[in-house]
Amino acid sequence: MRYRVLGGTGIEVSVHCLGAMMFGSVGNSDHDDAVRVIHAALDAGINFVDTADMYSMGESEEIVGKALKGRRDDVVLATKVHFPMGDGPNKGGNSRRWIVHEVEQSLRRLDTDWIDLYQIHRPDHTTDIEETLSALTDLVRAGKIRAFGSSTFPASDLVEAYHVAERRGLHRFRTEQPPYSLLARGIETTVLPTAARLGMGVLTWSPLASGFLSGGIRRGQDVDLTRGRAAITPFRFDPSLPENTAKFDALEQLIEVADGLGCTLPELAVAFAAAHPAVTSVIIGPRTMAHLEATLKGAGLELDDATLDRVDEIVPPGTDLYRADGAWRPPVLTDPRSRRRPAGERAAA
């Protein structure tokens, strides 16, 4: 396993990061089996583990904590905060009140004294970014976290956070965690170049496009829309929908590329994400040992220029054929008031 420096922190992390989202009630609820998968990943040279408080409502963090007993010093541990962890107000978001509360809960569940990388899971435009950065800076100074980053932030928010930190003498986001895959290349336009200019490390998620690139979905075959990710967002996978035609067309061509290389489509997908110069680490999210072994089998795959050129022909750089993040959309898109002047003020004359 190769290692890369994470966002100027001096911390070296494996090019594959073990994502723990599928450990717990939403995926593999067998704690002992999940621990075995984590141990196998560590034994293979992966030293970077990423989870979040909201994954199975804390159960994922508990499983990771069990797995890291006796091995904590050898692992770069990342988790995230933002999404609600209960009913009622003030139990989510990016406020100082919530961050300071929830970091203690994550430390308890992870059974550790510190978190190497604490990430803000999504933007929160009801909270000043200075408030968030100030709280995170205090946690670094208190020794509870070593560094902090963002997840699925637009480039404009990354730039704002950088300049606020600079003006106020606060620590800055060291990393960004965006979705990136063969079918979701939109971040190549602004997010990845911005992260590179700001010296941020990048750990990408969903290299298999929520299973669309798993190799088990093909055009002309029935897609089970009652199980897994397809049951949650069937509109993404339903081959009868016209908006999915381009995805299925690209999928068939990408399978041809993988076949020509003698590798699987998932191996191609993970290798593609790792090849971008702005990407530090690619998050893989196995649910079972078989999933992990299949991913590790392709760890040595290095794509040549001809292959990457062919991928560019199939899905042009900066193109999103697949919208990875179905859990969050910026308020400027969801709140009509942000796009419409008050009635009576919209006409030009």
Side-chain angles (χ1 to χ4, degrees):
M1 186 63 61
R2 291 178 176 173
Y3 302 87
R4 297 169 179 170
V5 177
L6 185 66
T9 63
I11 300 172
E12 294 189 22
V13 297
S14 48
V15 176
H16 283 179
C17 173
L18 181 69
M21 187 178 74
M22 298 307 296
F23 299 145
S25 60
V26 301
N28 188 347
S29 58
D30 184 331
H31 286 209
D32 290 339
D33 185 57
V35 166
R36 283 192 290 269
V37 174
I38 295 171
H39 285 172
L42 300 183
D43 292 342
I46 292 176
N47 76 336
F48 197 11
V49 177
D50 176 78
T51 184
D53 58 355
M54 59 85 67
Y55 293 164
S56 296
M57 295 301 290
E59 189 180 1
S60 172
E61 287 187 327
E62 293 173 356
I63 292 171
V64 170
K66 292 177 183 178
L68 297 189
K69 285 185 178 180
R71 308 183 73 157
R72 177 67 185 89
D73 288 344
D74 298 324
V75 174
V76 179
L77 178 59
T79 192
K80 298 182 283 293
V81 62
H82 167 81
F83 285 106
M85 291 293 288
D87 297 328
N90 302 315
K91 293 186 178 180
N94 301 345
S95 68
R96 171 181 286 272
R97 186 180 193 274
W98 180 244
I99 290 171
V100 170
H101 171 274
E102 192 58 14
V103 74
E104 297 293 345
Q105 303 309 307
S106 286
L107 288 167
R108 175 184 57 80
R109 289 188 291 259
L110 291 164
D111 194 18
T112 186
D113 295 326
W114 82 97
I115 295 163
D116 294 290
L117 178 64
Y118 199 46
Q119 300 157 101
I120 301 300
H121 211 154
R122 292 295 187 278
D124 174 8
H125 295 130
T126 68
T127 303
D128 287 345
I129 190 62
E130 181 178 352
E131 177 83 358
T132 301
L133 294 174
S134 176
L136 293 169
T137 297
D138 287 346
L139 292 179
V140 172
R141 292 170 177 165
K144 295 182 184 293
I145 65 176
R146 298 293 186 254
F148 54 83
S150 57
S151 177
T152 320
F153 273 45
S156 58
D157 284 14
L158 298 180
V159 172
E160 179 189 8
Y162 179 87
H163 287 297
V164 168
E166 189 174 54
R167 288 198 307 270
R168 301 301 187 188
L170 301 171
H171 289 216
R172 61 185 177 87
F173 286 138
R174 287 291 188 175
T175 61
E176 161 59 14
Q177 184 180 140
Y180 186 46
S181 73
L182 288 162
L183 298 178
R185 303 184 61 176
I187 64 168
E188 293 174 342
T189 302
T190 57
V191 172
L192 290 181
T194 298
R197 285 198 297 271
L198 298 180
M200 300 176 69
V202 174
L203 46 157
T204 62
W205 58 270
S206 198
L208 302 187
S210 300
F212 205 90
L213 297 170
S214 66
I217 296 175
R218 297 291 300 268
R219 184 172 58 193
Q221 297 179 355
D222 291 336
V223 177
D224 187 351
L225 301 177
T226 65
R227 299 176 57 190
R229 295 294 184 86
I232 300 172
T233 54
F235 61 88
R236 293 178 174 178
F237 297 87
D238 189 344
S240 68
L241 298 178
E243 57 265 35
N244 289 333
T245 299
K247 284 191 292 189
F248 278 94
D249 288 346
L251 178 64
E252 293 301 315
Q253 295 178 72
L254 291 169
I255 289 173
E256 291 179 3
V257 173
D259 289 344
L261 295 173
C263 70
T264 66
L265 182 59
E267 289 171 359
L268 172 66
V270 175
F272 167 79
H276 196 287
V279 173
T280 310
S281 188
V282 179
I283 297 174
I284 59 172
R287 179 174 55 84
T288 65
M289 188 71 75
H291 292 162
L292 174 66
E293 291 172 347
T295 302
L296 292 177
K297 181 181 177 182
L301 177 62
E302 184 168 314
L303 304 181
D304 59 22
D305 288 343
T307 299
L308 293 171
D309 288 343
R310 178 58 184 140
V311 169
D312 288 348
E313 292 173 356
I314 298 169
V315 184
T319 300
D320 276 335
L321 294 182
Y322 180 89
R323 186 174 178 273
D325 186 15
W328 180 87
R329 299 187 75 194
V332 293
L333 299 182
T334 59
D335 186 354
R337 294 171 300 177
S338 66
R339 305 186 306 277
R340 301 171 185 174
R341 289 182 179 272
E345 298 181 11
R346 298 170 187 171

